[in-house]
Amino acid sequence: MNAAAKANVKILFALTLVHFTGDFYSSFTTPLYPLFVTKIGLTLTQIGIISGVTRLLAFIIQPSVGYLADRHATRNFMLMGVLMPVVFIPLTGVAPGFWTLLLAVALGAFGSSMFHPSVTGLVPVYSGNKAGFAMSIFNTGGTLAFGLGPLFITWYAGRFGLGALPLTMVFGLMVVVYLYRIVPAPRREGLSRLGFLGSIRDSLGSAWKSVALIWAVMVLRAFVGQSFLTFMSVYYVQKGFSVFSAGVIYSIFTVAGTVSGLAAGHISDRIGFKPVFIFTHVFMAPVLFLFLQLQGRWVYLGSIIAGAMVLASMPLGVAMAQTLAPKGKSMVASLMMGFAFGLGGALSPVVGKLADIYSIHSVLTWVAFFPLLTLPLIARFPRVKQGEYL
């Protein structure tokens, strides 16, 4: 597909639906932590372990699947990947203890890690000359799922109880049947002859230094974002909000990120990626710090602004890396989403342990200033937008 070609809306919708469905079910766990604390006595450290293990699975699995998706041009990674969270995440509602809860969440996360590289690698193939905006649309599927999922599951669990969660898989199974009919197979990128490490080298080529800088920024952004998202629900329940209200705050955070991601993708197609990175990461730290100081209804407004800043650059890291290293789109996507997102989120057990010792508020206040560490790295980004250097 050449740069002047139009986007294939039908295929992009199917890929976005895969993303939405898998992430919709994956979003159930975090806002239910307060209920799991009540039911099985989870500590903040155990919450951090559950979150960290799921992120670590992404860290390990996504680059491998990114390679295998090129070596074997099959839909199995996408369809089996989206099926696993649909089946296993609802089973968390009947988990009798920490280890069974961890197993169910881990299996769901395993599936989520399977479908992301293949699906993300296909987005630029069908996006025409709007890769940044198309990637933001695709990312909208995930972030919107993480916005709507917590609202739905906190209402559902509050009304019917955790024991009724397995019934929610019915909707997901219907969607998977539909996706089976329309999702295209991945395209080979010609890297399978090189082996895993050879594929990484050939995918990145001479752009490896710039991609490494983007990756480092994405790791730090993921650490900040996942720290807030993991402990946000428990934090606001401790402050006196209901489980549903905490779910609303969580959802607002992610939905605001959906809107800001779309805006960031559109703007980056016009002025390039680097200015958008600079703007969002300069303001991320003060916005997060102020968010933690808010009380009452002001928390909802703060969640909108904080979510917009934290999540705006998430799709840009993938799109920018794929622009710089277009030869291996699935591999590059897995490095930016799985490898970076997983490593950043894998530190959640440490955050949880520190929160048990000090408090969630104190630890998140420290975490809020980590985005400042990304600014020297962003300053070294090349000036590039979709298809050209500036």
Side-chain angles (χ1 to χ4, degrees), residues 278-321:
I278 291 173
F279 177 83
T280 56
H281 285 246
V282 163
F283 287 100
M284 196 183 301
V287 164
L288 286 174
F289 176 76
L290 291 174
F291 175 44
L292 293 172
Q293 315 311 313
L294 298 176
Q295 302 290 331
R297 294 182 179 180
W298 288 104
V299 170
Y300 296 98
L301 177 60
S303 185
I304 294 173
I305 301 172
M309 286 298 161
V310 172
L311 301 177
S313 64
M314 183 165 64
L316 300 189
V318 179
M320 185 178 183

Side-chain angles (χ1 to χ4, degrees), residues 68-144:
L68 292 173
D70 172 66
R71 191 177 184 88
H72 306 285
T74 173
R75 302 189 306 164
N76 291 342
F77 294 116
M78 286 185 280
L79 295 176
M80 286 300 296
V82 74
L83 181 63
M84 290 179 72
V86 165
V87 172
F88 289 108
I89 296 301
L91 293 178
T92 60
V94 293
F98 168 69
W99 291 107
T100 49
L101 176 63
L102 178 62
L103 177 62
V105 174
L107 289 171
F110 188 96
S112 179
S113 299
M114 284 178 62
F115 79 75
H116 274 95
S118 296
V119 178
T120 309
L122 281 175
V123 172
V125 175
Y126 294 98
S127 64
N129 63 347
K130 297 294 183 182
F133 186 60
M135 187 61 70
S136 295
I137 290 287
F138 170 76
N139 186 67
T140 297
T143 51
L144 187 60

